[in-house]
Amino acid sequence: MKPKLLIIEDNEISMDLMILLLNGLGLAVIPALNGPAGLAIAKSEVPDLIISDIQMLHLDGHAVLKALREDRHLAHIPVVAVTAMTMVGDGERLLDAGFDGYLDKPVNYEELKMILVRHLPAWKGRIFTYEPL
Ligand code: MN
């Protein structure tokens, strides 16, 4: 069965880039353009991994994470934060807040692959050889 990835991202360019990179890795992506839509899709699809933007109106990445963790059907899903890191230690703070991992914007192909190998259950331990884009 193909792994299911939910991307929650309110910036369309960032979303398009993420879809392009993930499709390039052979992964299907379910996009959600805001937090409430992301939570609704998480409930209906129960994805294998959720990658969520932090800065979003109405329901930001932290609120999305909290709602996921409070839902016993969704609490087990790994959640990776995506944000424009501005200060040293921002990444550590995201881990302290309960995210399983984090990615810097703009998302980097190599870092994305590392995150997938670490957090996408079906890809755990997978080894990549170098392949130019
Ligand atoms: Mn945003």
Side-chain angles (χ1 to χ4, degrees), residues 9-11 53-56 105:
E9 169 62 73
D10 64 357
N11 179 284
D53 183 25
I54 294 294
Q55 291 85 10
M56 295 186 288
K105 277 186 182 183

Side-chain angles (χ1 to χ4, degrees), residues 10-68:
D10 64 357
N11 179 284
E12 290 192 34
I13 293 169
S14 297
M15 175 66 88
D16 288 348
L17 173 62
M18 193 68 101
I19 291 173
L20 191 71
L21 293 172
L22 291 165
N23 285 350
L25 289 164
L27 291 165
V29 177
I30 310 166
L33 284 168
N34 58 59
L39 283 179
I41 295 171
K43 283 188 177 96
S44 61
E45 297 288 332
V46 191
D48 299 292
L49 175 67
I50 297 172
I51 300 178
S52 179
D53 183 25
I54 294 294
Q55 291 85 10
M56 295 186 288
L57 288 176
H58 311 307
L59 204 62
D60 71 3
H62 290 281
V64 166
L65 178 70
K66 183 170 185 286
L68 290 167

